Amino acid sequence: MGTTLNLHQLNRALIERQMLRERADRSALATIEHLFGIQAQEPKSPYIGLWTRLRDFRPAELEDLLTNREAVRMLLMRGTIHLVSARDALGLRPHTQLRLDRELQSGPFAARLRGLDFGEVAEAGRKILDETPQGTADAGKQLKERWPERDHTVLGNALRNKLALVQLPPRGLWHRSGRAVCTTVENWLGRPQQAMDKEEIVLRYLRAFGPATVMDAQQWSGLTKLSETFTALRPRLVTFRNEAGKELFDLPDAPRPDQETELPVRLLPEFDNILLAHADRRRVIADDRLGVVIGGKPTVLVDGFVVATWAVTKERAITVDYIDAQPKSRQKAVAEECDRLQDWIRS
């Protein structure tokens, strides 16, 4: 059956692997690859996510990765925008296609897309976006000349799902930004997609998020039928049980700190993957407060768990809204971390 790991033990393992116990001396690119991508619906979120994990992180480091094409912003896990390394973009994107295809068949635009030859639309859209990067709705207007009975936003949405599109800088830069202008990942990086082996995906997921169940890995990735991959990997893994008796898989050499390990206050950006990467998220956030994540609120970790949300005012000051009452000593620690972030944002 394996040793049972309680929520606090799972919490400590996750915090350690997510580089939230102690800020690391590591490059931004190495961190992005270790984390296997950073959720990036909000353009500036990855900068906060890296600041909270790294010593002496400066926004220019990530800006350089984006402008030098070493990292990209694109639609990936769970059909959401992620920041990933160029290598991971080419390896992960093929695995998301099935989910995105299903979305075209059953999503909000499905009725208006019915009868459309998606292959033809994608081929025509690729030529447009590779020749002149632009927004998908703008490309949709050009496609409407060929499919006049279709709405241009619907055609643009088809491109969003059928093509592996990268959002180009200045979108996603810290000091300036812009609307989402896209081209294909192959055009931007000059290399074809080559699907990463599923075993590598699972091993890297466990390195960043384990111990975890098969369902946890499927929740994070949006992939299905991963039980076959876990079965193939079983000889290379160790297993545990959670308190509900479900089997947890992990890497033999991965850190699993003592549940009494002291943890510092950490500020997380909107939709940080630590809050989204498991089917059972209670190891870091209680079920009754998942709404703060879905609502896109940045969160505060105290002793490894979400206890508050935070926000930046127009004056670039950090404010905190507590979900749980906290003793004065912990409020003081939260205030000090907010001051550090405030100083960094203003620098």
Side-chain angles (χ1 to χ4, degrees):
M1 288 288 290
T3 303
T4 297
L5 300 178
N6 63 36
L7 280 181
H8 275 79
Q9 290 171 306
L10 293 174
N11 171 269
R12 266 41 182 182
L14 180 60
I15 294 296
E16 183 72 29
R17 298 177 204 196
Q18 285 289 302
M19 304 163 63
L20 292 167
R21 180 182 64 83
E22 183 178 4
R23 284 184 167 94
D25 291 314
R26 188 182 290 202
S27 72
L29 183 60
T31 302
I32 292 165
E33 290 210 326
H34 168 76
L35 298 174
F36 220 0
I38 298 178
Q39 198 97 1
Q41 288 101 310
E42 296 295 327
K44 296 187 190 253
S45 290
Y47 293 87
I48 305 298
L50 290 170
W51 171 84
T52 207
R53 290 172 167 92
L54 299 177
R55 286 195 186 96
D56 303 321
F57 171 69
R58 293 291 177 265
E61 184 180 1
L62 177 50
E63 290 186 317
D64 287 346
L65 292 177
L66 289 167
T67 56
N68 294 333
R69 310 188 190 196
E70 296 178 77
V72 298
R73 294 166 43 84
M74 67 183 305
L75 208 63
L76 282 171
M77 287 76 78
R78 303 181 300 279
T80 56
I81 296 293
H82 276 70
L83 168 76
V84 293
S85 70
R87 180 177 76 91
D88 285 347
L90 295 168
L92 281 171
R93 181 55 179 79
H95 289 286
T96 68
Q97 193 57 55
L98 182 60
R99 178 192 176 105
L100 294 172
D101 286 343
R102 287 198 302 265
E103 190 176 290
L104 288 176
Q105 299 294 336
S106 59
F109 292 102
R112 289 189 283 170
L113 288 168
R114 195 166 293 122
L116 196 62
D117 186 320
F118 292 123
E120 288 186 16
V121 172
E123 181 69 21
R126 181 184 297 276
K127 291 177 182 177
I128 292 169
L129 291 169
D130 283 353
E131 181 176 329
T132 306
Q134 57 196 279
T136 54
D138 296 324
K141 291 177 181 177
Q142 297 176 60
L143 293 176
K144 188 173 173 59
E145 296 175 7
R146 181 169 170 180
W147 288 277
E149 73 283 3
R150 307 287 182 169
D151 184 88
H152 75 277
T153 57
V154 174
L155 292 168
N157 189 73
L159 296 183
R160 170 188 177 274
N161 284 45
K162 293 300 295 184
L163 297 176
L165 298 179
V166 174
Q167 294 186 353
L168 307 188
R171 183 72 170 175
L173 299 186
W174 178 260
H175 293 101
R176 62 192 180 99
S177 192
R179 68 191 187 95
V181 170
C182 304
T183 190
T184 63
V185 68
E186 299 92 342
N187 184 51
W188 183 245
L189 297 180
R191 307 195 297 279
Q193 296 180 62
Q194 185 170 0
M196 190 180 296
D197 189 89
K198 279 190 177 181
E199 290 190 3
E200 180 183 352
I201 292 175
V202 168
L203 292 171
R204 289 182 61 188
Y205 168 76
L206 292 175
R207 179 71 63 187
F209 297 100
T213 66
V214 174
M215 289 301 295
D216 288 329
Q218 293 184 166
Q219 161 63 28
W220 167 80
S221 65
L223 302 180
T224 59
K225 301 180 180 178
L226 283 182
S227 59
E228 299 171 4
T229 306
F230 275 88
T231 297
L233 285 170
R234 187 178 286 276
R236 300 167 59 183
L237 303 176
V238 292
T239 59
F240 304 92
R241 295 281 171 178
N242 63 20
E243 292 173 300
K246 293 182 179 178
E247 188 172 36
L248 298 162
F249 294 86
D250 205 7
L251 305 175
D253 62 344
R256 289 179 288 275
D258 185 270
Q259 65 178 342
E260 301 302 325
T261 301
E262 293 187 8
L263 299 177
V265 170
R266 287 292 183 253
L267 305 182
L268 300 178
E270 304 93 330
F271 308 112
D272 193 284
N273 265 335
I274 194 174
L275 306 174
L276 297 167
H278 299 87
D280 182 353
R281 305 176 193 178
R282 292 175 300 157
R283 69 182 68 194
V284 69
I285 182 169
D287 287 340
D288 62 2
R289 58 194 58 171
L290 287 174
V292 303
V293 181
I294 297 168
K297 294 184 178 181
T299 51
V300 181
L301 296 183
V302 172
D303 192 35
F305 292 90
V306 172
V307 302
T309 61
W310 62 273
V312 183
T313 69
K314 291 181 180 179
E315 295 75 28
R316 293 192 292 176
I318 308 296
T319 62
V320 174
D321 184 13
Y322 283 98
I323 304 170
D324 297 322
Q326 296 293 310
K328 290 289 180 63
S329 60
R330 287 189 169 178
Q331 290 186 41
K332 182 175 182 290
V334 171
E336 289 171 349
E337 186 69 355
C338 288
D339 286 345
R340 282 188 280 270
L341 177 57
Q342 182 174 289
D343 291 343
W344 183 79
I345 289 173
R346 290 175 173 178
S347 64

